[in-house]
């Protein structure tokens, strides 16, 4: 019964991994069609974090900052552990980036609608760039963490670190794939929405866009551009 349960878990795990790989492939192909630079930047961050992590792990292993079991030792070991914790602290990254986006964007949007009641609204400044910066900050953090986790998993397993046994290495590799998938999905959704907004408002498929334009004209009816 236990063996059957383990087999079912392995099958489920394999299915999830396959779905994750398919999503990465699909979103990557879609981005490559019109936003190839996004993929190049994403893979550069992934490669950079992987190479830096490998070199740091090899150096730490050779100097004793990381022992044969994979545990951090000495002053340098503590510094590396602190740096690793900082680089993988995705929760803090999201909160900081979200706070910056909120402080920059929300007051402008609120001001836009409040001014629009009186017909003198003015388009918010650099909101699109602020949103792009937020998306890319999240994507960068996730991709860098993905590269770090995958490299540590492979390096630790190949060197027989107790802290990174086969089960741990598989778990870390799976987490790396999930972070990579989330990064690609975020980029794909952002670019898809951005491209949709850029389409002509006369298209019958985008009646919502035309309604938004009508509301915008009403909110800015007394603005200098409408006089």
């Amino acid at each position: 019964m236990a063996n059957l349960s383990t087999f079912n878990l392995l099958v489920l795990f394999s299915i999830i991994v396959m779905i994750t790989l398919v999503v990465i492939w699909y979103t990557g192909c879609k981005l490559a069609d019109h936003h190839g630079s996004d993929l190049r930047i994403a893979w550069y961050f992934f490669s950079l974090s992987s190479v830096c992590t490998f070199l740091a792990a090899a150096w730490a292993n050779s100097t004793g900052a990381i022992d044969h079991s994979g545990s951090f030792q000495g002053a340098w070991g503590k510094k590396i552990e602190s740096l690793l914790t900082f680089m993988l602290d995705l929760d803090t990254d999201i909160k900081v980036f979200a706070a910056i986006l909120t402080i920059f964007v929300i007051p402008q949007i609120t001001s836009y609608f409040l001014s629009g009641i009186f017909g003198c609204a003015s388009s918010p400044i650099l909101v699109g760039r602020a949103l792009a910066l937020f998306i890319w900050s999240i994507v960068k953090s996730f991709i860098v963490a993905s590269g770090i986790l995958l490299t540590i998993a492979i390096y630790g397993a190949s060197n027989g670190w107790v802290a990174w046994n086969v089960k741990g290495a598989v778990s870390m590799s799976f987490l790396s794939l999930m972070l990579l998938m989330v990064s690609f999905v975020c980029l794909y959704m952002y670019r898809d929405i951005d491209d949709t907004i850029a389409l002509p408002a006369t298209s019958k498929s985008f009646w919502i866009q035309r309604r938004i334009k009508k509301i915008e004209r009403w909110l800015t009816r007394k603005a200098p551009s409408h006089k």
Side-chain angles (χ1 to χ4, degrees):
M1 192 71 178
N3 291 334
L4 182 60
S5 178
T6 302
F7 176 77
N8 290 336
L9 287 174
L10 287 174
V11 171
L12 179 61
F13 179 78
S14 300
I15 292 173
I16 295 174
V17 169
M18 288 301 299
I19 292 174
T20 302
L21 291 172
V22 168
V23 171
I24 292 174
W25 174 261
Y26 175 81
T27 52
C29 289
K30 287 294 184 180
L31 286 168
D33 289 338
H34 302 289
H35 301 285
S37 61
D38 288 0
L39 278 183
R40 290 190 290 271
I41 294 172
W43 285 124
Y44 172 76
F45 279 126
F46 181 85
S47 302
L48 179 64
S49 62
S50 297
V51 170
C52 290
T53 301
F54 174 80
L55 293 176
W59 174 83
N61 201 26
S62 64
T63 58
I66 297 179
D67 60 24
H68 296 296
S69 67
S71 301
F72 297 99
Q73 301 294 334
W76 277 108
K78 291 181 179 179
K79 290 180 181 179
I80 294 173
E81 184 179 15
S82 298
L83 178 60
L84 188 62
T85 301
F86 173 77
M87 295 299 293
L88 296 178
D89 189 4
L90 300 178
D91 183 59
T92 299
D93 286 348
I94 293 173
K95 290 178 180 178
V96 170
F97 298 142
I100 293 173
L101 180 68
T102 300
I103 292 171
F104 188 82
V105 173
I106 297 301
Q108 293 191 60
I109 295 176
T110 304
S111 174
Y112 177 81
F113 283 104
L114 290 175
S115 301
I117 296 173
F118 300 93
C120 59
S122 178
S123 297
I125 302 172
L126 303 179
V127 170
R129 291 189 180 183
L131 180 59
L133 179 62
F134 172 74
I135 295 295
W136 271 108
S137 297
I138 296 299
V139 168
K140 185 269 297 178
S141 296
F142 277 40
I143 285 182
V144 167
S146 175
I148 291 173
L149 288 172
L150 184 61
T151 304
I152 290 177
I154 295 174
Y155 189 92
S158 62
N159 283 273
W161 289 354
V162 176
W164 280 273
N165 53 27
V166 174
K167 185 177 179 180
V170 171
S171 299
M172 292 178 72
S173 299
F174 175 70
L175 180 57
S176 172
L177 275 179
M178 293 297 293
L179 289 172
L180 194 61
M181 181 190 71
V182 171
S183 300
F184 275 47
V185 169
C186 284
L187 272 180
Y188 170 70
M189 292 179 64
Y190 167 68
R191 290 302 187 185
D192 186 55
I193 294 172
D194 196 43
D195 290 343
T196 300
I197 293 174
L199 289 173
T202 55
S203 173
K204 293 182 179 180
S205 316
F206 298 99
W207 62 272
I208 295 178
Q209 187 181 358
R210 297 200 302 275
R211 296 293 174 85
I212 292 174
K213 289 293 183 182
K214 287 183 66 176
I215 295 172
E216 182 183 4
R217 284 194 296 270
W218 185 82
L219 293 173
T220 59
R221 64 192 180 279
K222 293 182 182 180
S225 58
H226 285 257
K227 290 183 178 179

